[in-house]
Amino acid sequence: SPGSQGQSALQLANRWRAYGGSYGSPTYTLKSSICVVTGLIKSGSWGHLATLPSQCRPSKKLIFNLNNHAKTSRVDVETNGKISFIAGGRDHSWISLSGITFSPGSQGQSALPLANGWRAYGGSYGSPMFTLKSGICVVTGLIKSGSWGHLATLPSQCRPSKRLIFNLNNH
């Protein structure tokens, strides 16, 4: 079916398994140099949730804000492909992996211009970057120590046609 084209099964860890039913099985898709993880998993041990294959791994540690029922959860993806629950909601023994989207490796990444005193967190989180692939702009990175409000400025080729709102992690 068109909705599942190019999807591959995600390797789950620590007794996590597919929620099933209309939620199907957790997958990853690598298309146009963008890795997308989707799926709902249940009944495992919190911590290591799954592992991405080598062709679908980030060049630095990334943080994602994912859904857990009425709460959000922080989930990190490491350069070795490890997807881990870090903090936040863990009600009802399930978590959604939908929302993990990034450009693997570092090819095509450019520095994101920061504003108002914001700077890269550094270390394993690297520097904030943007990647433009097939008309999709992917922004990654962790920043610190700036003034709230204007965080960064997207280059003209990455700007949306309207104002957008995102649910991000501040933990």
Side-chain angles (χ1 to χ4, degrees):
S1 72
S4 62
Q5 190 174 21
Q7 293 181 343
S8 299
L10 181 64
Q11 179 187 334
L12 299 179
N14 288 331
R15 299 183 317 277
W16 287 98
R17 62 185 194 268
Y19 195 90
S22 63
Y23 296 103
S25 296
T27 61
Y28 72 92
T29 305
L30 183 59
K31 187 173 183 179
S32 300
S33 299
I34 297 176
C35 183
V36 178
V37 179
T38 61
L40 190 64
I41 59 175
K42 67 178 181 177
S43 305
S45 296
W46 296 99
H48 185 191
L49 305 173
T51 303
L52 288 165
S54 59
Q55 70 271 24
C56 203
R57 294 180 178 174
S59 60
K60 62 185 174 226
K61 185 187 278 190
L62 300 175
I63 296 173
F64 294 92
N65 203 43
L66 301 179
N67 181 268
N68 169 254
H69 196 62
K71 298 178 180 172
T72 59
S73 299
R74 174 182 163 177
V75 172
D76 287 7
V77 178
E78 299 178 44
T79 58
N80 63 3
K82 185 176 178 183
I83 300 173
S84 299
F85 170 87
I86 303 299
R90 51 184 182 175
D91 293 346
H92 307 287
S93 299
W94 63 260
I95 189 166
S96 173
L97 300 177
S98 299
I100 297 175
T101 302
F102 61 92
S103 185
S106 58
Q107 187 176 9
Q109 292 186 4
S110 299
L112 180 67
L114 301 177
N116 285 336
W118 290 98
R119 61 180 201 230
Y121 192 87
S124 60
Y125 297 101
S127 296
M129 308 294 276
F130 74 91
T131 308
L132 183 60
K133 301 280 184 173
S134 300
I136 297 173
C137 186
V138 177
V139 178
T140 60
L142 183 62
I143 58 177
K144 65 179 180 180
S145 304
S147 297
W148 291 109
H150 183 192
L151 307 177
T153 302
L154 289 171
S156 59
Q157 69 270 29
C158 266
R159 293 179 188 160
S161 61
K162 60 187 174 217
R163 193 171 190 175
L164 302 175
I165 297 172
F166 294 90
N167 184 8
L168 302 177
N169 195 287
N170 186 29
H171 174 271

